[in-house]
Amino acid sequence: YISVGDSVELSLQSSFQPGMKLEVANRSSPDSYWVASIITTCGQLLLLRFSGYGDDRKADFWCDVMTAELHPVGWCALNNKNLMPPEAIKEKYSDWTEFLVQDLTGSRTAPANLLEGPLRGKNTVDLILEDSVLELQDLSDPFLYWPARVIQNVGGRLRLRYAGLTDEHRAQDAWIFYLDVRLRPQGWALENRLALQPPTALRPLKSAPDWQKALEDAQLDGQKNPLPLEVFKDHVDLPRHSFRTGMKLEMVSRWEQLQICPVSVTKVYNDVYFQVTLDDASVDATPRRVVCHANTPGILPVQWCLKNGVGLERPRGFEGQDFDWADYLKQSGTEAAPESCFPDVSSNRGFAKDMWLEAVNPHRPAEVCVAQITQVRGRLLWLRLEGVLKQLSECLVDVESMDLFPVGWCEANAYPLTAPIKAVCQKQKKIAVVQPEKQSVLIVYGSDSGSANGRYTCSRIFVNHRCFSGPYLNKGRIAELPQAVGPGKCTLVLKELLSMLINAAYKPGRVLKELQELQDQSWECQEETLKAKYKGKTYRSTLQIIRLADQIPDFCRKVCLKLQCCPNLFGPVLVTDKCPENCSLQTKTKYTYYYGKKRKLSKPAAGDETAEGDVAKPARRRKKRKAIFVQKKRRSTAVDYTPDSDEEEDEDMALQSGSEGTSSEPREDHTDASSVEVASSRPRRAASLRRANSTGHVEEEGQLVLDRNPLEWSVDEVVHFINSTDCASLANIFQEQDIDGQALLLLTLPTVQECMDLKLGPAIKLCHQIERVKVAFYRQFAN
C-alpha cells in the first residue's frame, strides 16, 4: 500500500525520539537506577540501552512507557535515589561520574510530561488537546501571526478558531494539519520579532480594543495549558528560495478548479518567502496574489504543462490565437524561473491512476471524501471526489499535499467519511409497470478525456427511467438503476450498462441470449463476457461491445429495439420530461403483444370448441387440449392461453416447479406447466348449473363466461374481477401497479411471485383465477 505523504506516517510515530536519555530502574539492583538511551520506538514500547554499553546491543531491552518505572534525567538527584551502573559493566569505568557528564553533554532528555501525568505515553498528535493554543501565520502576509485555539483534533488534522471569535463565527474556522509550516508554538512570533495581528480578512469583525483583549486572553490560556514542544519536533525548516521579482512560472490555480495558470513573482519578502500574482491583462483585473515558499505545493516551472500534456490556461486579456511561452516572455520582457528553483517536479511518490484514497473537499474543508486518482502527471494528481456534486467533484492536488490520507484514515480516527452516492431504495414491493420517483445517481468511471484516445472514451449514457421498458425488463428494477453511467472508456461503460440491464430483466438469461445475437458489420467491437444469475443458476455469454464513441447512439438504439423497449430507454440523450416516442402512453401489451409482430392467434383445431351447454367427452377433450395448448414457447413472456385447471395447489406447485430448464442456458422449448391439463379421478368441484356472479360474469359448468373481452378491461375492471374471487385481498396490488386487462393476460406464476412479492401458495391461488380468464378469453374472443 502506498503511504499518502509523510505527514500521516509522522503523525503515527511516538513522541519519543531515538537518542533521548532517561533514568530507568536497574533490574539487577533494587532501589537503584541508571541512565539509558532510546534506541527505537514502537507505539508505547521503547527499546532501551544502558549508558556504558556503547555499540554493544546484547543487553538492549524493551519496556512499556505506561507500566515501566521511567524518569527524566535528574530525577534521582532530586529524589535522593541511587544512580549506579548495572553489575555487568560496573568495572568498565573507574569514574562513572565523569563518564555520565561526557555522555549527557549535548544530549536531549526525555520530557517529564511524556513519562508521567496525563500525557504519559501519548503519540505526538495526541499531545494536542482541545483548547490548546497555537499561533497561525496570516495567508496574505508571512510576517503576521495570530493565536488560534484547537477546537477539534482529528488524527493531527486540527480545526482552529482564531482568538476573539466564538461559535457563531464557526464558518471562519481553519482546518490545517499540525505539521503545516504556518503553525507555530505560542510565543514564537514575539521571539522572532514578528507582529501579532488578527487575520486581514477578519479584522472588520471586531474593534481594535476587542482584538487586543482577545490576544491577552489567548496568551493567558496558553500559559495555563502549555502545548508540549514535542508537537513541533517533526516540523521542517523551509529552505531558501532563489526566485527574483519578475520571474514567470506556472501554478495550480487557487481560484478555479483544474486550472494551471501563468503567474509572476511580484514581491520577494526575504530568502524564505515570496509573492506570486496571477497574470491578468484585462481592464477590470483584480490582483490575485499568493504567498509562497520554495516548497509550496503546486508551483511549477515554465513549459511544465507542455511537457506533461496538460492544458495551460491563457492569461485573461492575452491577445493571440495560441499561447506560446517564448513569445509571451519576449513580449513581456521577463524571464522564466529556472528549474533549479523548484522541488522535484517529476516525483509522483508511487501514486498511480485508479488508486483510491481519502481526500479533503477543497470547497468544504471540514469534509473528507472517498477519492479516486483519475490522472497522474509528474507531482500532480487529478482526483474525483465521491459523494460530491458533479460540478465540484474534481480537483487537482500536489503529491505532498497534507489534505491526502490513506484509505481507512477516517475510520481509524472516528471521523465521518463522505462515501460514494448509491441508489437508496427502501425495502418495498417490486413492481412491473409503475415508475416510482428516484434520486438521480451517477456512476462515474475514470475518464481519459484529456488523452489522445478520446474517440474510445464516451460521455454519460443515461437510463431514462420513465420510458417504456418492454417485455423483457422489469420496470421496478429499471427504476432502481442509476440515472447515468460514465464517462469513461466505451467498452467499460457499455459493459456496466448492459450488466445492469441484464440483471433488471424478468429472466436475465433470456436477455443475455437476445443480446448475444446483436451484431453489425459496421461496428468496431471487442468481445466481452457478461453473466446473469437467475434462480440459483449462472448464465454466461460473449457479447460484441463497440469501442468507438461515435457508434454509441446506433448501438444503444439497436439494443433497445432488440429488447423491444422504447428506443430512448437508455442512450446518450437524457429525456427530462416527455419522451419523443410518446412511450409513456403505451402499456406492456400494446408494445409487445406477440412481441410486436402482427401475428394472428392460431385458430383452434376443429371440434375443440364446444357449443354452449354441450359437454365434451373427457378423454377427447384432454387430447384436443393437449394438441392446442401445449406449445413450445418462443419467448419467455408470451401470453399464456391455458385451460381452467381445478387441481389442488400441491399438484399445481409440482407442475410449476418443473417448468424451468436446467441447462447452462434457459430452455426455450420447455412446456408451460400451467398449460397442461392434468388428469384427475376426482370429480370437478365446479357447479354444473350456469350462474352469474357479482361482477356480471357468468360461470357455466365450472368455466368462466365473460361478457366483455378482457383485452379491453380497464384497471378498475380488473380490480373488480379480483374482488369477486377468493383473492380479493390482493386486489389492491393490481390497483397500485396499474394492471389492466392486457397486462393481466401476460401474468404467469414467476412474474406474479416476483413483481407482486407473493409467496408460492397465494401466487398459485391467484394464478388459478388468471388462468380462468385466459381460458375464457380463448374460448370466447380469440377468433
Side-chain angles (χ1 to χ4, degrees), residues 210-401:
D210 288 340
W211 282 119
Q212 183 61 33
K213 177 68 165 56
L215 175 62
E216 295 170 359
D217 291 343
Q219 290 173 334
L220 287 175
D221 290 341
Q223 292 171 5
K224 292 177 184 176
N225 300 301
L227 193 66
L229 292 178
E230 282 70 32
V231 169
F232 300 93
K233 67 181 176 62
D234 296 315
H235 273 229
V236 295
D237 292 328
L238 290 175
R240 295 169 178 256
H241 71 78
S242 51
F243 289 92
R244 297 192 303 274
T245 302
M247 282 183 172
K248 300 280 188 182
L249 59 149
E250 297 175 1
M251 188 179 75
V252 176
S253 175
R254 302 286 180 89
W255 307 279
E256 301 292 340
Q257 279 184 288
L258 304 175
Q259 288 188 3
I260 302 176
C261 311
V263 296
S264 303
V265 178
T266 51
K267 185 175 183 179
V268 175
Y269 295 101
N270 55 19
D271 56 3
V272 176
Y273 294 103
F274 61 95
Q275 181 190 78
V276 299
T277 302
L278 182 69
D279 282 10
D280 190 341
S282 57
V283 178
D284 59 340
T286 300
R288 291 179 168 181
R289 303 184 177 99
V290 179
V291 174
C292 298
H293 50 78
N295 289 343
T296 293
I299 57 171
L300 307 162
V302 164
Q303 303 285 14
W304 185 92
C305 285
L306 181 65
K307 293 176 183 177
N308 287 274
V310 179
L312 177 70
E313 286 293 310
R314 297 194 310 170
R316 285 186 62 197
F318 174 80
E319 296 180 359
Q321 292 293 328
D322 299 313
F323 178 82
D324 180 76
W325 264 116
D327 294 341
Y328 186 60
L329 292 172
K330 185 176 180 180
Q331 291 174 11
S332 59
T334 54
E335 61 175 327
E339 292 200 12
S340 59
C341 292
F342 301 86
D344 184 3
V345 293
S346 61
S347 173
N348 59 22
R349 297 186 60 83
F351 288 102
K353 185 178 179 233
D354 294 332
M355 282 185 174
W356 291 89
L357 45 87
E358 295 175 8
V360 174
N361 181 353
H363 305 284
R364 299 179 62 185
E367 183 177 34
V368 181
C369 307
V370 171
Q372 186 178 28
I373 300 173
T374 59
Q375 190 179 176
V376 180
R377 293 287 186 273
R379 61 182 295 118
L380 294 187
L381 308 177
W382 277 254
L383 300 182
R384 186 185 66 250
L385 305 178
E386 301 287 349
V388 177
L389 291 176
K390 172 63 178 174
Q391 59 269 28
L392 302 176
S393 65
E394 295 181 287
C395 61
L396 186 55
V397 297
D398 191 279
V399 294
E400 299 291 350
S401 170

Side-chain angles (χ1 to χ4, degrees), residues 134-148 158 160 162 172-186 188-189 194 198-200 202 232 235-236 238 254 273 290-293 296-297 402-403:
L134 305 95
E135 291 180 354
L136 184 58
Q137 186 185 50
D138 196 307
L139 281 171
S140 59
D141 190 334
F143 302 136
L144 299 183
Y145 283 79
W146 190 250
L158 310 179
L160 302 175
Y162 289 103
Q172 307 298 333
D173 291 351
W175 282 91
I176 189 167
F177 203 72
Y178 83 105
L179 291 174
D180 196 293
V181 293
R182 291 178 58 214
L183 279 180
R184 299 292 179 179
Q186 188 180 28
W188 190 88
L194 300 173
T200 308
L202 303 181
F232 300 93
H235 273 229
V236 295
L238 290 175
R254 302 286 180 89
Y273 294 103
V290 179
V291 174
C292 298
H293 50 78
T296 293
M402 292 186 185
D403 287 338

Side-chain angles (χ1 to χ4, degrees), residues 558-580:
K558 288 185 177 177
V559 170
C560 289
L561 292 175
K562 189 70 175 175
L563 299 181
Q564 298 171 31
C565 56
C566 174
N568 296 318
L569 180 64
F570 53 89
V573 177
L574 175 64
V575 177
T576 55
D577 187 17
K578 188 176 181 181
C579 175

Side-chain angles (χ1 to χ4, degrees), residues 103 109 118 164 192 246 284 350 374 485 489 515 565 568 616 649 703:
D103 188 52
T109 181
N192 290 272
D284 59 340
T374 59
V485 181
K489 190 176 178 182
L515 294 177
C565 56
N568 296 318
E649 285 187 4
Q703 293 184 345

